Each structure stands twice: as C-alpha cells, then as structure tokens.
Amino acid sequence: MTQLAAVHGVLPDHRYPQAELTDLFAEVCRLDDTQRRFLERVHAGAGVQTRHLVLPIDEYRTLKTFDAANDAFLTGAVDLGCRAIDAALTDAGLAADDVDAIIAVTTTGLAIPSLDAHIAGRLGLREDVKRTPIVGLGCAAGAVGISRLHDYVRAWPDQVAVLVVIELCSLTVQYDDRSATNLVASGLFGDGAAAVVATGAGRADGSGRGPTVKATRSALYPGTLRTMGFDVGASGLKVVLGTEVPELAERHLRRNVDTFLAEHGLSRRDITTWVSHPGGPKVLEAIESGLELPEGALGASWNSLRRIGNVSSASVLHILEDTLRDRTPQRGTPGMLLAMGPGFSSELVLLQW
C-alpha cells in the first residue's frame, strides 16, 4: 500500500486574464492582422479564463534569449518547488528531515545539477536523501511521478518519498515562431507546481488526506513520437503539438483502461471519481467520449482548465488536490488518475479513496 499523505499545488503570484495574455503574445510575436485574428480565435476557444505566470507580464517583453528564459526557469522553479514541498510536508504532519527520497519532475527547463539538488539544499533535506530527476515526460509526468513514488515506497515501506512537479510553460514560448501550433499553445499553457508526500505500508496509518495507490499502468503507442513534445534548438524549446492528440486519446484510452481495471476485478462503472489531466477542450471531450463517462465526471478537470490553464505535468496533481478538497469521494471506493503525454503515451493510476 502507498498512502498519498498530502497533495499540495502552488501557483505563481502573477495572475492574468486570457485577453491580456492574448494582447501580450500578439505584441511580442509581432503578429500581422490575419495572424492576430487567428490568435484571438484560438485563445478564446481554449477554455481558459485566467493563467498564472512565473514573471510579471512586462518582463516577457524583454525575455529574448534561451539563456535568459532558462535562468528565469531555474530561479522560479526552485522557489515554487520549495513552496509546494514545504506546504505538503506540513499538511502531512512531517518535516524536511523525514524525507528519504525526492523525485523532481519538469519538462519546461534545464538544470544541472537537477532541480532536486537545488531544492534539497534550500529545504534542508538530509544529506543521504535519494534523488531522482525526471525530465521530458510532459503532461503525463505528474501521473508518472505518482507511479514512481508507488514503486519506491513498495520497495522501502518504512520510508517517506516526496514528488515535486514544476512546469513554467510561459518561458518556452517562441517569439519568432508564428506557426499555428505555437499560437495554439500560447493560449493554453500556464505555470505552476505541486508536491505529493507518499508513505509506505510501514508508516501509513490511514490518516493522510489522499487516497492509497493500488496499481499503475503505462502505455507507449508506437509510431507517435512526433505527436507531442519539444524540439530543442538555439532559441530554446519549440512546442510540437499534433492535431491527432484527441483522436489518439479516444482510440486508445478505453482499451488501456478496461484491460487495466479488469486485471483488478473492476470496470469503468466501478470508478467513482476520475482525475484526468485537462489537455484542452478537445482532449477532454475525447476522453469523455472514449471512456463513455457520465456527465460531469471530469468537472474538476474542466474547472482547472478554466482557472489556471494547462500546467503540463502539474495539472493532474492540482486536480487531485481540488478533488480532495471540493469533491471528497466516498471512502473505500476506487478512483482513476490518468494523463497522456509525449511518446505518445498514457499513464494510469488506480486509487482507493
């Protein structure tokens, strides 16, 4: 048994309405009238009302190089990561000295030494803390991180492991890229972080806020490498976002979920609560359709998309926290946490509330 003792999401202090971010992007990318009209349509259709940015909006006008963006990433990521872990440990009734392992996840910046080393020093984690950085799994990585927490505390049931997920998507926007993909991405992604504290069977006492993890499943879809991700170049991280993502979600998820659940004597009808990465409106609609979910089953995901946008790997953890706070499931019932990301891939986590 893996007990998720606490889940805590944090957001940067700088919050802006979608229309103001549309104006900013049109300005810094020097869009012509036709491009501006397209940008306004895709931003309006993204299902996002507000987003949080790691920097004040005026600073993006002068952020022209990969060096500058990545410097801002390191500063902002460490600050947000420390805030998230500190709050999650407090929620779990634990201290920094209790942490035996830290898993740090990101896709939106580079850090060597990795983020976990920077955060460990800032928070005062023990010198013998085990560190695992995970880079490049994109939107799926929040769910993957929980899976790796589960693996760790199954092997070390008397220990405490912490997952921290940090994504600063605003720092990856390419100002010289006027492609439809970049314009769409500029209206969808936001910044944020989240932390999860997990304890193994030797420490879990059932008093944690979160559910227990019963099992996990990964799926990698052959021939889909160019569906989603980043191209890395001199100007930084250039988004790759294929139009086939919703179709892949609708085509593959039902089979993956049904096979996974059947191995545990369950079906989709048994799942009382779904915690899904939001993707975007078309992705959420594809998940609802593919899994034949009842109306409102992904309400927390739609609400999160409206409030903070798609925060890549951190979104599913924010939605898990929202679910625990606002839609507390009935104790003892099964739940499913899921996300899809580069690879192209999906990650499933079977929960018990």
Side-chain angles (χ1 to χ4, degrees):
M1 180 180 70
T2 298
Q3 172 76 48
L4 301 186
V7 183
H8 196 101
V10 297
L11 297 164
D13 295 333
H14 313 295
R15 178 175 177 264
Y16 300 98
Q18 182 80 323
E20 191 170 352
L21 297 178
T22 302
D23 291 340
L24 170 70
F25 190 77
E27 175 191 338
V28 297
C29 290
R30 304 182 300 279
L31 302 184
D32 61 29
D33 289 343
T34 300
Q35 293 164 336
R36 171 71 186 242
R37 288 192 293 271
F38 176 78
L39 180 78
E40 290 172 348
R41 288 197 304 273
V42 298
H43 277 213
V48 177
Q49 293 179 352
T50 56
R51 284 180 282 166
H52 293 251
L53 306 184
V54 70
L55 299 176
I57 195 168
D58 289 340
E59 293 189 20
Y60 289 88
R61 293 183 170 90
T62 59
L63 199 67
K64 299 298 185 182
T65 67
F66 186 23
D67 289 3
N70 204 67
D71 287 346
F73 167 82
L74 183 57
T75 298
V78 174
D79 287 344
L80 283 173
C82 288
R83 282 175 50 194
I85 293 175
D86 186 57
L89 288 172
T90 298
D91 291 346
L94 296 168
D97 194 58
D98 293 311
V99 176
D100 299 289
I102 177 173
I103 299 171
V105 169
T106 193
T107 303
T108 50
L110 303 176
I112 305 170
S114 51
L115 290 178
D116 44 278
H118 290 270
I119 290 169
R122 178 83 63 88
L123 288 179
L125 301 186
R126 298 196 319 262
E127 292 182 357
D128 65 344
V129 69
K130 301 179 184 72
R131 299 185 294 118
T132 304
I134 298 177
V135 179
L137 289 176
C139 296
V144 173
I146 289 181
S147 296
R148 300 293 80 78
L149 280 182
H150 180 54
D151 293 341
Y152 183 86
V153 298
R154 287 174 68 200
W156 302 96
D158 294 325
Q159 296 195 5
V160 174
V162 172
L163 166 69
V164 61
V165 174
I166 310 157
E167 300 292 9
L168 305 183
C169 305
S170 68
L171 298 176
T172 69
V173 172
Q174 298 294 296
Y175 297 161
D176 294 329
D177 179 8
R178 299 172 184 86
S179 67
T181 297
N182 196 44
L183 299 185
V184 169
S186 73
L188 189 59
F189 293 98
D191 298 342
V196 180
V197 178
T199 54
R203 290 190 65 130
D205 59 8
S207 63
R209 288 186 61 217
T212 57
V213 178
K214 308 303 290 185
T216 68
R217 170 65 60 85
S218 302
L220 186 62
Y221 307 130
T224 59
L225 284 175
R226 293 296 297 171
T227 297
M228 180 185 290
F230 284 119
D231 288 333
V232 183
S235 62
L237 304 175
K238 182 177 179 180
V239 68
V240 176
L241 189 62
T243 58
E244 67 272 28
V245 171
E247 189 270 333
L248 287 170
E250 187 163 12
R251 186 200 318 168
H252 290 291
L253 266 183
R254 183 188 304 181
R255 171 175 53 84
N256 295 148
V257 169
D258 286 349
T259 301
F260 180 44
L261 290 175
E263 292 175 357
H264 300 277
L266 297 169
S267 71
R268 277 175 278 135
R269 292 187 299 273
D270 297 310
I271 301 300
T272 59
T273 306
W274 296 85
V275 179
S276 174
H277 174 77
K282 291 182 179 179
V283 174
L284 282 173
E285 289 167 357
I287 293 171
E288 290 172 333
S289 173
L291 295 179
E292 300 174 320
L293 298 181
E295 185 176 355
L298 298 186
S301 299
W302 284 102
N303 288 337
S304 184
L305 182 65
R306 279 191 291 271
R307 289 189 300 105
I308 64 174
N310 180 342
V311 193
S312 191
S313 62
S315 272
V316 75
L317 303 184
H318 278 263
I319 294 164
L320 177 58
E321 182 188 25
D322 294 344
T323 299
L324 292 168
R325 183 186 63 244
D326 302 330
R327 302 163 177 250
T328 307
Q330 183 178 348
R331 190 174 179 86
T333 59
M336 178 71 72
L337 183 145
L338 63 92
M340 307 185 80
F344 187 69
S345 61
S346 66
E347 191 78 15
L348 308 176
V349 181
L350 179 61
L351 303 171
Q352 182 170 301
W353 303 107

